[in-house]
């Protein structure tokens, strides 16, 4: 009996497999913003982690807790856009590092609100100084009016993003 093997042949690529509908990723605003945000986040993490032992996800959690102490993890997810798993891992790491305190309800065995420890507040404040210098560097070529307009544009886009999950937006007119 002869065994028959199905061979998947790899054919030479056609000379042009470019779609007529391809998006210019530099000009497509969602892609450009995602790429910019990723570069800002990765350079921030590369700056903060070696110096403070805090990555960008941890920093986002700490920044929120500095403004809103004693909030529940679900609020952190809502405010930062981070998923539950990322927030949970970050809180675990921050607690282990002594930067965050979690109130626990022993009767219900569930986590309650979290806040920065005094040490966490100190580290937060040190990172803020670096973060503000990074922001100033990013915006150094913008006038005060352009900075205000940029913040306005971002706020408008944040408002509009809520409607993107609506079927009529996804399916088109």
């Amino acid at each position: 009996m002869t065994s028959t093997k199905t061979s998947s042949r790899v054919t030479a690529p056609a000379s042009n497999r470019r779609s007529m509908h391809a998006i210019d990723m530099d000009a497509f605003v969602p892609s450009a913003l995602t790429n910019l945000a990723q570069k800002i986040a990765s350079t921030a993490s590369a700056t903060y982690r070696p110096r403070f032992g805090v990555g960008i996800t941890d920093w986002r959690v700490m920044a929120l807790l500095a403004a809103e102490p004693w909030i529940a993890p679900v609020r952190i997810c809502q405010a930062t856009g981070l998923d539950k798993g990322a927030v949970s891992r970050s809180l675990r790491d921050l607690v282990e590092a002594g930067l965050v305190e979690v109130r626990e309800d022993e009767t219900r065995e569930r986590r309650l609100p979290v806040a920065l420890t005094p040490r966490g507040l100190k580290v937060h404040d040190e990172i803020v100084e670096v973060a503000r210098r990074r922001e100033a560097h990013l915006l150094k070529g913008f006038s005060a009016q352009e900075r205000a307009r940029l913040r306005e544009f971002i706020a408008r886009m944040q408002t509009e993003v809520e409607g993107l999950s609506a079927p009529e937006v996804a399916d088109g007119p």
Side-chain angles (χ1 to χ4, degrees):
M1 184 174 206
T2 322
S3 87
T4 55
K5 263 188 165 177
T6 315
S7 71
S8 61
R9 264 188 158 164
V10 178
T11 58
S15 61
N16 184 2
R17 292 203 179 172
R18 182 171 168 79
S19 170
M20 292 177 15
H21 306 287
I23 293 175
D24 176 350
M25 300 302 273
D26 294 327
F28 185 60
V29 172
S31 175
L33 289 174
T34 299
N35 292 339
L36 176 61
Q38 183 58 40
K39 288 176 185 174
I40 291 170
S42 65
T43 59
S45 198
T47 300
Y48 304 154
R49 189 171 298 284
R51 189 165 169 187
F52 303 104
V54 171
I56 193 63
T57 300
D58 300 331
W59 167 238
R60 290 174 67 189
V61 170
M62 290 178 71
L64 180 61
L65 291 176
E68 296 182 38
W70 300 117
I71 58 174
V74 67
R75 170 68 184 134
I76 297 170
C77 294
Q78 293 166 344
T80 62
L82 294 167
D83 67 61
K84 194 164 71 170
V87 168
S88 178
R89 285 187 298 277
S90 179
L91 287 174
R92 179 196 64 217
D93 294 346
L94 291 168
V95 167
E96 286 177 11
L99 301 175
V100 166
E101 176 185 352
V102 179
R103 285 187 184 161
E104 294 187 24
D105 181 347
E106 294 176 15
T107 61
R108 295 189 208 155
E109 295 183 8
R110 67 181 193 124
R111 286 187 170 192
L112 292 178
V114 296
L116 294 172
T117 62
R119 181 169 174 259
L121 282 167
K122 182 179 181 301
V123 171
H124 167 271
D125 293 350
E126 291 172 4
I127 296 173
V128 165
E129 291 178 29
V130 176
R132 290 200 188 278
R133 284 194 303 270
R134 287 175 44 81
E135 179 189 38
H137 179 79
L138 286 169
L139 298 174
K140 70 181 175 189
F142 293 83
S143 69
Q145 182 181 16
E146 289 172 325
R147 290 175 189 207
R149 290 186 69 205
L150 178 60
R151 285 189 294 275
E152 178 190 330
F153 293 153
I154 291 169
R156 285 172 44 195
M157 288 183 79
Q158 286 175 326
T159 300
E160 292 301 325
V161 78
E162 298 301 322
L164 285 178
S165 60
E168 60 274 4
V169 175
D171 296 339

